[in-house]
Amino acid sequence: MKGSDGTSPSTTDAPIAVVGLSCRLPGAPDPATFRQLLRDGADAITEAPEGRWGAGADTGTDTDSGTDTDTGTGTVATRRGGFLDRDRIDHFDAAFFGISPREAAAMDPQQRLTLELTWEALEDAGIIPDRLRDSRTGVYIGVIADDYATLIRRGGPAAIDRHSFTGLHRGIIANRVSHHLGLRGPSLTLDAGQASSLAAIHLACESIRRGETSIAIAGGVHLNLAPESDVTAARFGALSPDGVTYAFDARANGFVRGEGGGVVVLKPLADALADGDPVYCVIRGSALNNDGGGDHLATPHQAAQEDLLRRAYQQAGVDPADVQYVELHGTGTKVGDPVEAAALGTVLGAARPTGAPLRVGSAKTNVGHLEGAAGVVGFIKTALGLKHGELFPSLNFRTPNPDIPLDQLNLRVQTTSEPWTADPDTPDTRKPLTAGVSSFGVGGTNCHVVLSGAPEPAVAPDAVESAPEGVSGRIPWVVSGRSEAALPAQAGWLASYAEERPELSAEDIGLSLATTRSAFEHRAVVLADDRGGLVGGVAALAEGRDAAGVVRGVVAGADGRAVLVFPGQGSQWVGMAAG
């Protein structure tokens, strides 16, 4: 039941549904390819692209000490990392978002990436963005980097223009989304160190539970554009000199930097089920705290992490013994990994039966450490695992860190891809799939989120009866784009999508296209009697070929003015539209 302002009443322990998600990660431009990368046990760590950080030049690194010795030429400590394709940073469809080319050039690419990820996540959720206008939808984005500002300011005052103030301001990253979509809910860019994006999800859930927002957009972005940020991490001693993340392994020597981002769309579970939304997983609860004074500012504190875990599972109403998997912070550092393992073993491992260890793993071994966006990467990995019933392997694990007694802690690093039923070691079909996700900031901010599998959807009566045998009906697939070039591009995407998913019915695809996608000015409809004809029609549209059943057009009167109105209430009169 919703309140009079469209928000749900406050319920402090109400479960939250993840109804949509998107990601742009090294080697994985979308959730489907990210899932495949995880299933394959692959990593996307490469040499830096040409032109990034002065790649191809001397790094100025003392290989014996692993520290940077000369950064005057803009070179860096290591060339290895998880990188997005260069085009995905440099290219942006400014017109799609109603932004001028000059303003787009002044915008931090993290702003641009967040706009794209948000749109994709809403489409994944089946939410037409325009329908959120004036709603109390909240936006919570975790970001800690401002490399683009560093690059711009190198050019001195001449490089700064009228768009630089908003273009380089980190707080605008979330605000830009709210402005573009016309959202009235909270809009926050959050910097809690490396815990930022998971803390953003935690705060988004709290806002929903308080009735402050009805839908929340949450996640994080991180781009590594300036060599100074890489040198800073290297001189701190956090980076792996050989460019490999060895989470929980004896070879652990630091993390590898990654970049990209992810966004999730959240709704109260009750609302999602009532609306018939597909649900990836359910957020049962979460907790946020700080180390509050360990040995050093950047040294993790075991007691604080244990307190975090206990409060998260208490708030979620989940018995720690029922947790089957935890997505680790897992940076592969000599100090951080043993502390994280000890806390998990004390709270979760000890609660489980002997011989049925808690499975753990880290996405940082696949795509690198996305720092401010690291938490949402682990969250999306776990959400995909819960939705598809899969446990994904954590890479680069061979021999346990001698300071991590896995057997004693009742933990096991997940090193293979396998089905995730209820409990891999003690199968019980009555148990829901249950997992945790951790993310810790260098200054001591800790966050843990408790997830479970989506409930079985209610069996709904068939809305449409099957056609009688021998009778066929034409099925429409509608496609639209903001520009003439966008229309065939969308058609090409649709053709590939349909070909890769033969299990989807033509009717379901047509219904989704007609009811869950924005309708832009340049439009086309493909009509055919069967799936093969529809796929062939959109392929022809993508290639610019004429084909039977394909109709193209541009919306007339796109300025929004009404031409004729037929209210059907008998109030018309001759000449009423003459003015």
Side-chain angles (χ1 to χ4, degrees):
M1 175 180 172
K2 298 206 174 165
S4 59
D5 62 353
T7 60
S8 298
S10 176
T11 308
T12 57
D13 59 352
I16 307 297
V18 180
V19 297
L21 54 82
S22 65
C23 63
R24 196 78 55 77
L25 301 170
D30 53 54
T33 51
F34 183 40
R35 178 190 170 205
Q36 191 61 51
L37 182 144
L38 293 167
R39 295 177 73 187
D40 292 345
D43 76 65
I45 306 304
T46 64
E47 295 291 312
E50 187 66 28
R52 182 78 69 95
W53 297 346
D58 181 7
T59 61
T61 302
D62 180 343
T63 55
D64 292 331
S65 66
T67 58
D68 186 84
T69 57
D70 179 11
T71 61
T73 59
T75 54
V76 297
T78 177
R79 294 192 183 101
R80 286 182 58 78
F83 300 95
L84 298 184
D85 294 338
R86 185 174 177 82
D87 287 351
R88 294 195 174 275
I89 296 176
D90 291 353
H91 291 193
F92 176 66
D93 190 349
F96 180 88
F97 294 101
I99 298 170
S100 72
R102 184 181 296 274
E103 183 174 9
M107 290 166 57
D108 186 334
Q110 293 177 137
Q111 287 189 32
R112 307 197 298 247
L113 179 57
T114 302
L115 284 171
E116 294 171 342
L117 288 170
T118 298
W119 191 276
E120 292 166 8
L122 290 172
E123 283 201 334
D124 186 56
I127 297 173
I128 297 176
D130 281 351
R131 294 183 181 174
L132 295 178
R133 189 163 297 278
D134 297 330
S135 71
R136 290 186 179 272
T137 299
V139 181
Y140 299 80
I141 304 296
V143 189
I144 67 173
D146 58 358
D147 284 22
Y148 195 63
T150 298
L151 296 180
I152 294 298
R153 287 167 183 154
R154 281 186 198 160
I160 298 171
D161 65 17
R162 64 185 298 268
H163 298 297
S164 297
F165 187 84
T166 54
L168 302 180
H169 197 303
R170 271 203 313 237
I172 298 294
I173 294 175
N175 298 165
R176 181 81 68 174
V177 172
S178 300
H179 172 76
H180 177 69
L181 298 177
L183 310 179
R184 298 287 181 84
S187 185
L188 304 175
T189 302
L190 180 70
D191 185 347
Q194 291 74 9
S196 295
S197 60
L198 199 63
I201 293 172
H202 165 82
L203 293 178
C205 291
E206 293 297 300
S207 181
I208 291 174
R209 291 190 176 107
R210 287 196 305 271
E212 187 176 46
T213 60
S214 54
I215 296 176
I217 296 161
V221 292
H222 182 82
L223 294 176
N224 297 317
L225 306 177
E228 289 89 337
S229 63
D230 196 70
V231 172
T232 300
R235 289 185 173 176
F236 178 67
L239 297 188
S240 168
D242 51 359
V244 180
T245 299
Y246 300 106
F248 278 31
D249 191 88
R251 296 167 291 171
N253 59 3
F255 63 79
V256 181
R257 303 187 81 203
E259 65 180 9
V263 165
V264 297
V265 180
L266 310 176
K267 291 176 68 173
L269 178 61
D271 289 356
L273 295 177
D275 294 340
D277 296 328
V279 177
Y280 280 89
C281 63
V282 177
I283 301 174
R284 295 292 173 185
S286 57
L288 189 68
N289 76 356
N290 191 274
D291 284 348
D295 293 339
H296 303 284
L297 173 65
T299 302
H301 194 228
Q302 180 180 333
Q305 291 188 19
E306 290 177 10
D307 176 64
L308 174 83
L309 294 169
R310 291 190 181 97
R311 290 197 298 109
Y313 289 97
Q314 181 181 19
Q315 197 268 341
V318 171
D319 187 339
D322 292 335
V323 182
Q324 299 125 20
Y325 174 81
V326 167
E327 174 65 18
L328 302 166
H329 183 61
T331 52
T333 55
K334 293 180 180 180
V335 176
D337 282 7
V339 171
E340 182 173 12
L344 285 170
T346 301
V347 178
L348 299 179
R352 294 180 56 79
T354 302
L358 173 72
R359 309 298 184 97
V360 298
S362 173
K364 294 176 180 65
T365 62
N366 302 95
V367 295
H369 188 356
L370 268 71
E371 302 179 37
V376 73
V377 175
F379 184 97
I380 289 175
K381 170 188 171 180
T382 309
L384 292 172
L386 288 166
K387 179 176 176 61
H388 297 285
E390 296 173 325
L391 286 168
F392 304 117
S394 190
L395 310 183
N396 310 322
F397 180 79
R398 187 173 64 196
T399 305
N401 185 320
D403 294 324
I404 302 178
L406 290 174
D407 291 340
Q408 181 181 331
L409 296 171
N410 207 16
L411 306 177
R412 179 188 299 172
V413 176
Q414 181 68 30
T415 57
T416 60
S417 184
E418 62 184 87
W420 186 353
T421 52
D423 194 317
D425 298 295
T426 58
D428 182 349
T429 56
R430 296 169 299 177
K431 284 185 178 181
L433 303 185
T434 308
V437 181
S438 289
S439 194
F440 308 139
V442 70
T445 296
N446 307 311
C447 189
H448 188 83
V449 177
V450 183
L451 303 176
S452 69
E456 291 293 328
V459 179
D462 292 338
V464 180
E465 294 183 1
S466 300
E469 187 174 352
V471 178
S472 63
R474 307 205 82 186
I475 303 166
W477 280 7
V478 295
V479 187
S480 73
R482 278 253 163 91
S483 66
E484 186 176 353
L487 186 62
Q490 284 294 307
W493 170 85
L494 177 58
S496 298
Y497 181 89
E499 288 173 348
E500 293 167 1
R501 294 166 176 80
E503 73 279 4
L504 298 180
S505 73
E507 292 84 357
D508 284 346
I509 293 175
L511 179 64
S512 295
L513 290 170
T515 62
T516 68
R517 290 294 184 271
S518 297
F520 298 118
E521 297 87 340
H522 295 264
R523 301 181 185 179
V525 60
V526 177
L527 290 165
D529 296 328
D530 55 31
R531 198 176 194 282
L534 289 161
V535 173
V538 291
L541 179 61
E543 296 166 6
R545 296 185 284 108
D546 291 330
V550 178
V551 181
R552 302 177 182 84
V554 180
V555 175
D559 57 6
R561 292 181 295 172
V563 178
L564 294 174
V565 178
F566 300 97
Q569 296 175 335
S571 58
Q572 306 92 325
W573 63 92
V574 175
M576 66 178 288

